[in-house]
């Protein structure tokens, strides 16, 4: 596991991959990152919040959802890239 | 702020509070979680600011129904919903006429088309409708219809409020036909075992079955009589923006109330500057509120003022 300071340096050095705003602009992807090695209570709390954020939206009846993509499997990367390409083609 | 915008803002503010709470609980190990949530916090703050800035002044109200006529979030009985929406529209029409002039004791409501609102959306959270004024009049201030909708929500809140004094005050400011229509609206809710949440502008009021029964009982036992009278005394001041007045009669009693909308805010300002404490004759509409036949409140609306030997009569009947 990386020390905290080193992790923060790594994240800030790679904003297009690790920070929500730049990721959203570059990949059209609303990415929230979670520290699996962080506080366990925070992990539970964040899961509760994200489950609410990415589920049914009452105001306009929009259903959302979450997908799980492993970062260490190149086959997942290919499938994810293909899915994103489809979204890009169909999007505004 | 429109009703839907208010609901959006309430949801956004609630989410912002959740994110703030999450951020407050983070440890220094939660590096990536913190960066993501800080970004979301900034986004939500921008959304709240944008929602607060957007207000075109047009009328908007959301009516949410609950209870027996409602099947969860799936639907509401059409006959009940249609009648309730029509009754609410009727209440707004009568308040609009009161806002811009006098509502007769009986007969058609004048210029009813001006009060027309449209059902523009179904809103979730029990089951309800969003009703809006479609054409913006391009004004930066609230439209007359918007004020009438807010008046309707205030009146209905007063009907369901345990505070008897607040209800009597509200009843003393409206015409008897308005009171009757509000009573019919609550009667419809009671007969159908329905509940209501009403969101208009910044007002957000929930009416439980108890509140609805209280409103129906008040409608049945409260009567408002209207009368006109001329009183001598002195104007002690006005609130031009609030369209309110204070007038001291010849026995020193201070009368307070609304000023008829036909008298302009500029006129009120001028009276403040030049006519305060000058001898005057005021023409008033007096609304007397009776509870079980007993007089409980008098409400005054200033229709005009005459300053003997100084100025012509400014009056509107």
């Amino acid at each position: 596991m990386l020390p905290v300071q080193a992790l923060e340096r790594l994240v800030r050095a790679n904003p297009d991959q690790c920070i929500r705003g730049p990721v959203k602009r570059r990949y059209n992807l609303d990415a929230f990152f979670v520290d699996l090695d962080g506080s366990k209570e925070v992990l539970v709390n964040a899961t509760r919040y994200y489950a609410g954020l990415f589920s049914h939206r009452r105001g306009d009846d929009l259903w959302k959802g979450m997908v799980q993509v492993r970062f260490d499997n190149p086959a997942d990367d290919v499938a994810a890239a293909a899915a994103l390409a489809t979204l890009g083609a169909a999007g505004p | 702020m429109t009703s839907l915008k208010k609901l959006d803002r309430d949801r956004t503010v609630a989410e912002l509070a959740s994110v703030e709470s999450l951020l407050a609980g983070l440890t220094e190990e939660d590096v990536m979680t913190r960066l993501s949530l800080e970004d979301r916090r900034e986004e939500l703050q921008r959304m709240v600011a944008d929602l607060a800035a957007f207000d075109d002044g047009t009328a908007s109200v959301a009516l949410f129904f609950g209870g027996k006529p409602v099947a969860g979030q799936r639907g509401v009985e059409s006959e009940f919903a249609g009648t309730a929406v029509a009754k609410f529209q009727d209440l707004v029409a009568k308040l609009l006429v009161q806002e811009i002039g006098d509502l007769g004791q009986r007969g058609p409501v004048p210029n009813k088309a001006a009060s027309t609102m449209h059902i523009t959306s179904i809103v979730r959270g029990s089951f309800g409708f969003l009703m809006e004024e479609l054409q913006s009049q391009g004004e930066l201030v609230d439209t007359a219809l918007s004020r009438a909708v807010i008046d309707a929500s205030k009146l209905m809140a007063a009907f369901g409020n345990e505070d008897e004094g607040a209800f009597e005050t509200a009843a003393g400011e409206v015409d008897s036909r308005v009171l009757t229509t509000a009573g019919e609206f609550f009667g419809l809710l009671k007969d159908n075992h329905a509940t209501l949440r009403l969101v208009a502008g910044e007002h957000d009021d929930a009416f439980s079955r108890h509140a609805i029964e209280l409103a129906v009982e008040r409608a049945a036992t409260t009567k408002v009589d209207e009368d006109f009278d001329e009183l001598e005394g002195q104007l002690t001041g006005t609130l031009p923006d609030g369209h309110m007045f204070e007038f001291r009669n010849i026995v020193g009693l201070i009368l307070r109330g609304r000023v008829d909308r036909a008298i302009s805010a500029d006129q009120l300002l001028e009276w403040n500057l030049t006519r305060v404490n000058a001898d005057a004759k005021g023409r008033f509409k007096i609304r007397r509120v009776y509870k079980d036949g007993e007089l409980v409140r008098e409400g005054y609306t200033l229709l005009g003022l005459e300053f003997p030997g100084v100025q012509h009569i400014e009056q509107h009947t």
Side-chain angles (χ1 to χ4, degrees):
Chain A
M1 189 175 88
L2 276 177
V4 168
Q5 292 82 0
L7 175 59
E8 182 144 8
R9 278 198 299 277
L10 178 70
V11 166
R12 291 197 183 280
N14 296 278
D16 282 0
Q17 284 74 40
C18 301
I19 295 181
R20 181 174 176 250
V23 169
K24 199 171 184 178
R25 282 191 289 277
R26 177 157 179 180
Y27 298 109
N28 195 26
L29 188 69
D30 200 358
F32 288 89
F33 297 89
V34 176
D35 300 275
L36 294 179
D37 294 323
S39 155
K40 291 180 176 55
E41 187 170 345
V42 168
L43 183 61
V44 172
N45 248 336
T47 304
R48 179 183 53 74
Y49 169 65
Y50 291 131
L53 185 61
F54 294 120
S55 58
H56 180 248
R57 196 161 64 192
R58 189 184 254 189
D60 55 9
D61 250 356
L62 181 70
W63 284 95
K64 299 183 278 184
M66 288 183 271
V67 293
Q68 181 179 352
V69 181
R70 297 180 64 89
F71 284 170
D72 59 354
N73 185 339
D76 280 351
D77 287 349
V78 173
L84 286 174
T86 308
L87 286 177
Chain B
M1 172 170 289
T2 68
S3 306
L4 204 57
K5 292 288 176 194
K6 181 195 179 295
L7 296 172
D8 280 349
R9 193 195 58 181
D10 288 352
R11 272 195 290 268
T12 310
V13 167
E15 189 188 338
L16 182 57
S18 293
V19 172
E20 298 272 17
S21 166
L22 267 169
L23 280 165
L26 296 185
T27 68
E28 65 171 12
E29 295 173 324
D30 302 304
V31 176
M32 299 187 80
T33 305
R34 175 162 49 80
L35 289 169
S36 290
L37 290 176
E38 283 175 349
D39 190 85
R40 179 64 176 163
R41 177 174 61 186
E42 287 172 21
E43 187 175 57
L44 291 168
Q45 286 169 338
R46 283 195 299 274
M47 288 162 71
V48 171
D50 289 348
L51 286 167
F54 179 85
D55 186 357
D56 65 359
T58 53
S60 166
V61 62
L63 298 170
F64 295 88
F65 299 107
K68 191 163 170 281
V70 176
Q73 295 195 24
R74 288 183 297 156
V76 58
E77 289 175 14
S78 57
E79 186 175 349
F80 162 77
T83 310
V85 167
K87 193 62 74 180
F88 185 81
Q89 169 73 72
D90 190 25
L91 178 65
V92 170
K94 286 172 177 159
L95 278 163
L96 178 66
V97 173
Q98 184 183 292
E99 171 82 19
I100 56 181
D102 269 337
L103 181 62
Q105 292 294 310
R106 60 187 68 81
V109 176
N111 199 18
K112 195 166 184 178
S115 70
T116 298
M117 299 178 76
H118 289 74
I119 296 173
T120 55
S121 185
I122 288 169
V123 281
R124 305 290 180 177
S126 70
F127 197 95
F129 302 100
L130 181 69
M131 297 169 70
E132 293 182 292
E133 174 183 15
L134 281 190
Q135 74 273 34
S136 168
Q137 296 174 13
E139 301 172 6
L140 292 175
V141 295
D142 290 346
T143 64
L145 183 53
S146 175
R147 289 196 296 271
V149 167
I150 296 298
D151 285 348
S153 78
K154 285 182 182 172
L155 175 66
M156 290 174 64
F159 255 100
N161 190 332
E162 295 283 353
D163 183 346
E164 194 65 30
F167 168 69
E168 288 166 4
T169 301
E173 290 180 352
V174 296
D175 290 299
S176 54
R177 289 178 71 182
V178 171
L179 214 58
T180 302
T181 304
E184 288 169 356
F185 182 84
F186 283 113
L188 178 75
L189 296 179
K190 179 173 181 273
D191 292 346
N192 286 274
H193 306 283
T195 57
L196 173 73
R197 177 184 169 205
L198 193 156
V199 182
E202 291 294 308
H203 301 269
D204 189 343
D205 297 293
F207 298 84
S208 64
R209 287 190 184 171
H210 171 71
I212 289 166
E213 283 170 8
L214 178 64
V216 170
E217 188 260 331
R218 280 171 166 164
T221 57
T222 307
K223 295 282 177 275
V224 177
D225 279 351
E226 289 159 11
D227 196 5
F228 295 89
D229 202 0
E230 287 188 348
L231 299 172
E232 292 183 356
Q234 296 96 30
L235 180 74
T236 53
T238 72
L239 291 173
D241 291 338
H243 240 66
M244 307 290 286
F245 77 92
E246 275 193 5
F247 185 87
R248 183 172 51 240
N249 69 11
I250 51 174
V251 296
L253 187 68
I254 299 289
L255 309 176
R256 298 181 179 86
R258 289 186 172 199
V259 179
D260 190 277
R261 285 281 168 189
I263 300 174
S264 70
D266 287 344
Q267 176 70 82
L268 297 181
L269 192 60
E270 187 194 322
W271 283 345
N272 270 355
L273 294 172
T274 62
R275 299 286 179 252
V276 167
N277 291 326
D279 285 343
K281 184 188 286 184
R283 177 167 167 73
F284 299 91
K285 178 194 276 188
I286 306 169
R287 292 196 183 92
R288 296 188 176 90
V289 182
Y290 295 88
K291 175 91 174 170
D292 291 321
E294 182 185 343
L295 179 66
V296 291
R297 189 168 295 264
E298 281 185 332
Y300 288 81
T301 302
L302 179 64
L303 301 176
L305 275 180
E306 178 187 357
F307 300 97
V310 178
Q311 188 174 316
H312 67 280
I313 294 176
E314 301 275 355
Q315 74 172 25
H316 307 270
T317 56

